[in-house]
Amino acid sequence: MNKPSPPKFFHHFLRWFCRQDYLEEIEGDMEERFQDNLKAFPVKKARRLYAWDTLKLLRATLMKRMGGDKRLNHYGMFQHYLKSGYRSLIRDKTYAIISTLGLAVGMGVCLTIAQFIFFELSYDRFHDDYQNTYRVVLREANTELQETYPDIGHAFGPTAQAVIPEVRQYVRKERFNRGAIVTNPINQRVFHEEINDLLFVDPSFFQVFNFPLISGNQSDLFSNKYNVVITESTAKKYFGTKDPVDKTLSINGAPSPGDYTVSGVLEDPPLNGHLQFDFLMPIANYLEYGWGGVVKKQDGWKGFSVITYLTLEPMADLDMVSKKLNALIARHKSAGDDIVEEVILQPISDIYLKSGDLTDAGFIDQVGSERNIRIFTIVSFLILLIGWTNTINLATSQAIQRTKEVGIRKSIGAFRSQLLGQFIFESLLTSLFAALLALGLALLFIPTLENILSKELTLSLFALPKFWIAFVLVVFLGSIFSGLYPAFVLSSFKPISMLRSYKTSSNGNPNLRKGLITFQFIISLSLISATYMVYKQTAFMKSRDLGMDLEQILILRGPQVNTDTLNYYSPFFNELKDHHAISAVTGSLMVPGQYWILSYHKLGQPQSDIPHCRGFFAGLDFVKTYGLQMVAGQEFTEAMVDEEAVIINEAAVQAFGFATPEDALDQKLKIGRARTIVGVIKNFHWHSLAEDHKPYAIDLYEKNAHPYISIRMNTSNFKETLEYVESVYQNHFPADPFDFFFADQSFNQQYSAENQFAKLFLSFSGLAILIGSVGLFALISYSANSKIKEIGIRKVLGATTENIVLLLSKEYFLLSAIAIIISSPAIWIMGKAWLANYAYRIPFSPDLFLVPGLIVILMAILMVSHRTLASAKANPVESLRNE
């Protein structure tokens, strides 16, 4: 039976790592200890104890030979490393600056992206009870399209709280459904307010959500149905520095105009919240007075729907609560309603990022994108990798010049562990400088990022202890890995070979360096391809035919003051049309990019087969003003004003099951009251081209004021025409402010997310490519310097400048070609996946590979040629003089 022996692997490792005489001094003692441990413990434990005891004895032997207090020795070693690292950096300032700046920019960009991602993920987490608060989303389960809506009957919330014990609180939210004119009667400050700025809510809103109250009494905020709570910025806009509590604001515009008393002022909502508002009013007002009184017409379960939030008990079972809520809906279904509806409880912290797939996002100006967060997370890691790759490449190239230094150190007794420690310490020193600089750069980059996003990002990430732990860990680990390779390579050579020939020790591992350069090319190529694809897709969507003409359409905000008693639309429209530069005028409830989701259905059609149709109300000449093309029937006429008329598009013809557009004419569509289809228009894009054509229904509405007035005008003399429009508007509507914008601007707001993404991607990719380019240029310079004598010999033997440039350049051209081949499949797969999110997208053509590839090759040519030409033109006598 073989006698157990100490672990050989550990023993061989120590022989490789330490000087032989150190081990010889402790080997006898270690063998004796191992045999004693075998008698007292199992073999595995005895071997573990052997390893531990060996390290302790080795440390004691090392300290004994070095002499003195080990704390002084540690201090002396640290002081030596610090001096050596400082001298190394000062000796080669170009290397130090390029390496430190490249890594600092990479870290700074990574920190900036991290702050952006943290901000996007922090939405609605500032509310105290956000983990138990949910938005109610209703899904129609038996429809093929799986329509989902974040609104439900206004009776749902109160009933759920009354009958389900787990529901602790509810909040309902509704908006004006159009803009409003708000006036301070004292100083006559008048402003148009946007749709989402005015919300009707329950009093519990102030308990469920955390919006600190600046002035007013928390218990009396909604003591009257004509109370209004405003934000701090709104108070300054209307009242200046005076306390607005108990002051009056006149709000004109449906559904419930009137004089409202300011009962409180809140801090402005944080930008990382989906609830953005300027005015809050009691929802009891809306239910009693809105649209003539909602509660008088409906039972609260069908018809008028609101956004509803539920706060559950902390220990509530979500599945059980959902089942109870589904049963509650089923009990209140009307007779003959066979649509199966299911409740989804959406955490409020998911609303911003996970509402993009809902049929209606629910009064949210802009939703976030989990996909974009994943993309920018990958980009941040790639940028950081480029920074570290530069550092490793430059450190390796620069370390080659230190072979004689290392040889001398080893010849006078330096241990390999000391050399490893020295190189890693120098790498850590560079990384610490870069990290400090990166923090400053991040603070400079963040304001630029805020301008692109139109958001004021908080620096909350930098206040988290976890962030600093992770940051220090990344810097420390990156320093170790970037310093290990040159340390191991140089410390492994024998002193005699390092002192005998500079060239002998200068080879290192060229394959690793080539691999790192290729990796940089791959990252640069991928980022250039992605940027090119994003901009090409965005430009494609903006340039595609919309099926309507948005050019030269001026949109005015319609009058809201006294619209119930003054009916002067026709005179206003007619006066505008008399101007030679105006060809058409119409009114509408919504502008391009805005619509309702409506449940139109043919008479006799089963409710489960009802297609969901997008729609809005519009006036006479709408088809003419927006350049829509009639397929069948006619556009709205004066004779239809007192009728219920509707125009649909070709997608709606198909959705409602009509054989042809002509078959749809004179058919009845019902939503509340029956409408007669009087015309069919070609499919048009009232919405973003990210979506396919959708069914649309345009209802004729000429019985009241339109929130928006669209004017098709000749812009050759725009200033004069605009002054004329303003004078006519103020003459007819003196109590309303004159506000305008352009139809194409309104439509292109739908692409704000794409534009922001493109700008961010271009900015971050540009910085990444710049970091890689500077590092690669420095690496080429070092490579050219290391071959300076070879170049001199070749020139003496008759080589031309072109021969030498080609000799030094072909390696980098080959590496860039390899990078193109390797990255092409990834670009293909990831590009296809990204473009799949768009219904109308660019074809996946060869230029998506060729253009980025040519850019990378051109970058390589410029960087290599510039440096190698200088080396090739140098006088060979200068390079060979010392041989």
Side-chain angles (χ1 to χ4, degrees), residues 643-700:
E643 300 175 3
E644 298 291 344
V646 64
I647 293 176
I648 63 175
N649 67 342
E650 293 171 308
V653 170
Q654 183 178 1
F656 289 118
F658 299 118
T660 64
E662 288 74 16
D663 291 338
L665 297 178
D666 297 325
Q667 297 292 328
K668 300 290 186 181
L669 293 181
K670 187 176 182 182
I671 177 172
R673 297 183 300 273
R675 278 101 162 141
T676 302
I677 300 175
V678 298
V680 177
I681 55 178
K682 289 189 68 173
N683 285 331
F684 65 103
H685 283 284
W686 192 253
H687 54 272
S688 164
L689 271 80
E691 299 179 282
D692 203 350
H693 284 299
K694 300 292 184 181
Y696 269 93
I698 305 172
D699 272 279
L700 175 60

Side-chain angles (χ1 to χ4, degrees), residues 451-462:
N451 290 333
I452 295 175
L453 296 174
S454 299
K455 294 179 181 179
E456 185 178 349
L457 302 180
T458 60
L459 299 178
S460 51
L461 177 64
F462 297 151

Side-chain angles (χ1 to χ4, degrees), residues 3 7 55 68 78 96 159 161 172 206 243 357 384 394 479 483 486 717 729 780 784 786:
K3 184 178 179 181
L55 290 176
F78 173 78
T159 308
Q161 185 187 30
R172 295 169 297 179
F206 305 103
D243 185 2
D357 294 333
L384 193 59
L394 293 174
S479 304
N717 196 345
Y729 186 93
I780 292 168
S786 67

Side-chain angles (χ1 to χ4, degrees), residues 474-485:
V474 168
V475 172
F476 182 73
L477 292 178
S479 304
I480 291 177
F481 286 121
S482 61
L484 273 179
Y485 175 71

Side-chain angles (χ1 to χ4, degrees), residues 308-412:
T308 301
Y309 302 89
L310 299 180
T311 300
L312 306 184
E313 296 293 344
M315 302 304 292
D317 186 320
L318 283 184
D319 291 336
M320 183 63 67
V321 173
S322 297
K323 291 178 181 178
K324 293 180 179 180
L325 294 174
N326 290 335
L328 182 64
I329 293 174
R331 285 199 302 270
H332 290 85
K333 291 178 71 69
S334 56
D337 187 352
D338 57 353
I339 298 178
V340 178
E341 295 175 325
E342 296 178 350
V343 166
I344 300 172
L345 293 177
Q346 182 184 33
I348 60 169
S349 56
D350 289 348
I351 291 176
Y352 174 71
L353 286 177
K354 298 182 179 180
S355 295
D357 294 333
L358 300 183
T359 307
D360 181 359
F363 308 165
I364 303 177
D365 289 331
Q366 186 178 356
V367 296
S369 171
E370 287 185 299
R371 179 193 66 185
N372 290 351
I373 287 179
R374 288 193 292 268
I375 290 174
F376 283 121
T377 301
I378 294 172
V379 169
S380 67
F381 279 114
L382 292 179
I383 291 174
L384 193 59
L385 281 175
I386 286 179
W388 286 121
T389 303
N390 271 346
T391 303
I392 294 171
N393 267 333
L394 293 174
T396 305
S397 300
Q398 196 262 354
I400 289 172
Q401 301 179 16
R402 299 177 63 182
T403 51
K404 285 186 170 61
E405 173 196 339
V406 175
I408 293 173
R409 287 178 181 275
K410 294 192 76 171
S411 66
I412 60 176

Side-chain angles (χ1 to χ4, degrees), residues 354-581:
K354 298 182 179 180
S355 295
D357 294 333
L358 300 183
T359 307
D360 181 359
F363 308 165
I364 303 177
D365 289 331
Q366 186 178 356
V367 296
S369 171
E370 287 185 299
R371 179 193 66 185
N372 290 351
I373 287 179
R374 288 193 292 268
I375 290 174
F376 283 121
T377 301
I378 294 172
V379 169
S380 67
F381 279 114
L382 292 179
I383 291 174
L384 193 59
L385 281 175
I386 286 179
W388 286 121
T389 303
N390 271 346
T391 303
I392 294 171
N393 267 333
L394 293 174
T396 305
S397 300
Q398 196 262 354
I400 289 172
Q401 301 179 16
R402 299 177 63 182
T403 51
K404 285 186 170 61
E405 173 196 339
V406 175
I408 293 173
R409 287 178 181 275
K410 294 192 76 171
S411 66
I412 60 176
F415 308 117
R416 189 172 195 186
S417 59
Q418 291 174 313
L419 294 173
L420 288 172
Q422 176 184 332
F423 278 99
I424 291 174
F425 183 84
E426 290 177 8
S427 175
L428 181 61
L429 197 63
T430 301
S431 299
L432 287 175
F433 285 143
L436 293 174
L437 188 57
L439 291 170
L441 289 174
L443 295 177
L444 293 177
F445 291 155
I446 286 176
T448 304
L449 180 62
E450 290 175 339
N451 290 333
I452 295 175
L453 296 174
S454 299
K455 294 179 181 179
E456 185 178 349
L457 302 180
T458 60
L459 299 178
S460 51
L461 177 64
F462 297 151
L464 295 177
K466 290 182 180 179
F467 160 75
W468 291 107
I469 294 173
F471 182 65
V472 170
L473 190 62
V474 168
V475 172
F476 182 73
L477 292 178
S479 304
I480 291 177
F481 286 121
S482 61
L484 273 179
Y485 175 71
F488 272 111
V489 169
L490 290 177
S491 63
S492 65
F493 288 123
K494 294 181 179 179
I496 188 63
S497 66
M498 303 175 83
L499 295 172
R500 182 176 56 198
S501 171
Y502 177 83
K503 182 175 179 59
T504 303
S505 58
S506 65
N507 295 330
N509 187 351
N511 291 330
L512 177 62
R513 231 172 13 255
K514 291 177 181 178
L516 292 174
I517 293 171
T518 305
F519 177 69
Q520 281 185 308
F521 277 134
I522 290 172
I523 294 178
S524 298
L525 186 66
S526 301
L527 292 175
I528 293 172
S529 297
T531 305
Y532 179 61
M533 192 180 304
V534 168
Y535 267 90
K536 192 174 179 183
Q537 173 64 23
T538 304
F540 170 78
M541 291 192 296
K542 289 182 178 180
S543 62
R544 186 177 170 85
D545 181 22
L546 300 175
M548 61 180 178
D549 184 9
L550 297 180
E551 298 294 329
Q552 300 182 327
I553 295 182
L554 181 75
I555 299 179
L556 311 180
R557 297 185 185 276
Q560 300 292 327
V561 180
N562 301 323
T563 55
D564 292 335
T565 58
L566 297 178
N567 184 9
Y568 32 45
Y569 260 87
S570 294
F572 171 64
F573 283 10
N574 291 335
E575 189 169 349
L576 288 180
K577 292 175 185 178
D578 287 340
H579 194 272
H580 63 88

